[in-house]
Amino acid sequence: MNWRSACQISMIALSAAGIAYSIYHLVFEYADNRQVMAEARSIYSSSAAQEQAETPKDEVRPRFKELLEVSPDLVGWLRLHDTLIDYPIVQGKDNDYYLSRNYKREEMKSGSIFMDYRNKSPETELNTVIYGHNMRDGSMFGQLKQYTDPDFLQSHPTFTYETLHDDYVAEIFSVYYTTTENDYIQTQFNGEEEYDSFLQTIRKRSLYKTETVLTENSLILTLSTCDSTLDPEEGRLALHAMLIKRQKPTP
């Protein structure tokens, strides 16, 4: 064997070792993320089960108090039925911090499900925006793409969104592929006319028509994740839903 062949074999071996290490590291990351999220769900579920009565208006509901001790940036919970999306929502001072940190502020590539830093409460914001990574194992917002299937959307027209104080039913009215060139994450509007135009625009983009009735007073929730359908770097998948406040929080 000459030196060139030996070098080529060495390079192949090193490359294979690098790939194997990357796969091992990725699998470890996925497992670690699942464990962290399982712990959060356990805390949330056990606390929610202990709630006895409706919480006073401006008081944080008991189901979130223990989680707030772990994560002071906690702002709510998101659950999309028949998907893996069942996660705490956090909010940072910008939209970068939680891209690479879990809800406990620990470094993690899968990041968190987090609210746009510009948002406050749904009662004061027309468009509340929530982000999550499109993870290959289906975690975080990796299963948001299920809503591009008309059959899945028809059988799952709503999902659950909770803040620290209130529960909402989120009625889906628009799902589509887009890019960052389109300002579908706009949070501030100069009057009813601009907001109405925004609603019409995002509704027209939808892959499918829905029967949801929207008005200039409708509060909406936007879910956003990366998607390569239209562009490998700037492509996004957007889902919009109208928020309907529950009269009494669900235990």
Side-chain angles (χ1 to χ4, degrees), residues 123-177:
E123 299 298 330
T124 61
E125 302 287 328
L126 291 171
N127 184 22
T128 299
V129 184
I130 297 177
Y131 307 94
H133 283 309
N134 183 359
M135 301 303 292
R136 292 181 180 179
D137 68 340
S139 63
M140 313 317 285
F141 275 177
Q143 291 192 338
L144 199 63
K145 58 181 174 287
Q146 290 198 51
Y147 291 89
T148 63
D149 178 344
D151 293 332
F152 188 84
L153 179 59
Q154 184 175 14
S155 61
H156 300 79
T158 65
F159 58 91
T160 303
Y161 169 61
E162 300 180 32
T163 69
L164 300 182
H165 307 283
D166 297 298
D167 280 2
Y168 294 86
V169 173
E171 184 177 320
I172 302 168
F173 67 88
S174 184
V175 183
Y176 56 90
Y177 299 108

Side-chain angles (χ1 to χ4, degrees), residues 1-130:
M1 180 184 299
N2 58 40
W3 67 270
R4 182 170 297 177
S5 297
C7 286
Q8 289 175 338
I9 292 173
S10 296
M11 290 298 292
I12 292 171
L14 287 172
S15 177
I19 293 172
Y21 176 79
S22 296
I23 293 174
Y24 172 80
H25 187 69
L26 186 62
V27 170
F28 179 81
E29 282 269 352
Y30 287 157
D32 195 25
N33 179 51
R34 286 194 294 271
Q35 181 178 348
V36 170
M37 291 296 98
E39 290 172 355
R41 279 190 288 272
S42 177
I43 295 172
Y44 166 83
S45 297
S46 61
S47 299
Q50 295 173 21
E51 289 187 10
Q52 299 298 321
E54 190 172 345
T55 307
K57 183 177 179 180
D58 296 324
E59 186 178 328
V60 173
R61 286 185 289 166
R63 67 183 65 186
F64 290 117
K65 288 184 177 180
E66 187 174 348
L67 279 172
L68 276 168
E69 294 177 4
V70 179
S71 173
D73 291 336
L74 183 78
V75 293
W77 196 277
L78 185 68
R79 181 184 297 109
L80 278 63
H81 307 291
D82 292 329
T83 75
L84 295 176
I85 303 171
D86 186 11
Y87 300 122
I89 308 167
V90 289
Q91 184 180 39
K93 294 181 179 180
D94 55 44
N95 286 340
D96 294 325
Y97 186 81
Y98 279 107
L99 283 172
S100 57
R101 293 175 176 84
N102 63 27
Y103 85 107
K104 297 193 291 185
R105 299 178 177 176
E106 300 168 336
E107 289 285 341
M108 188 168 287
K109 288 183 179 180
S110 56
S112 295
I113 301 302
F114 65 96
M115 182 182 292
D116 194 297
Y117 77 98
R118 299 169 296 175
N119 283 133
K120 296 179 183 178
S121 74
E123 299 298 330
T124 61
E125 302 287 328
L126 291 171
N127 184 22
T128 299
V129 184
I130 297 177

Side-chain angles (χ1 to χ4, degrees), residues 116 118 127 129 131 176 178-189 194 198 201-202 205 222 240:
D116 194 297
R118 299 169 296 175
N127 184 22
V129 184
Y131 307 94
Y176 56 90
T178 186
T179 67
T180 54
E181 291 181 359
N182 296 315
D183 192 13
Y184 64 97
I185 59 172
Q186 182 177 350
T187 59
Q188 300 296 320
F189 303 90
E194 183 181 2
F198 174 78
T201 297
I202 60 176
R205 290 176 184 158
T222 296
H240 303 281

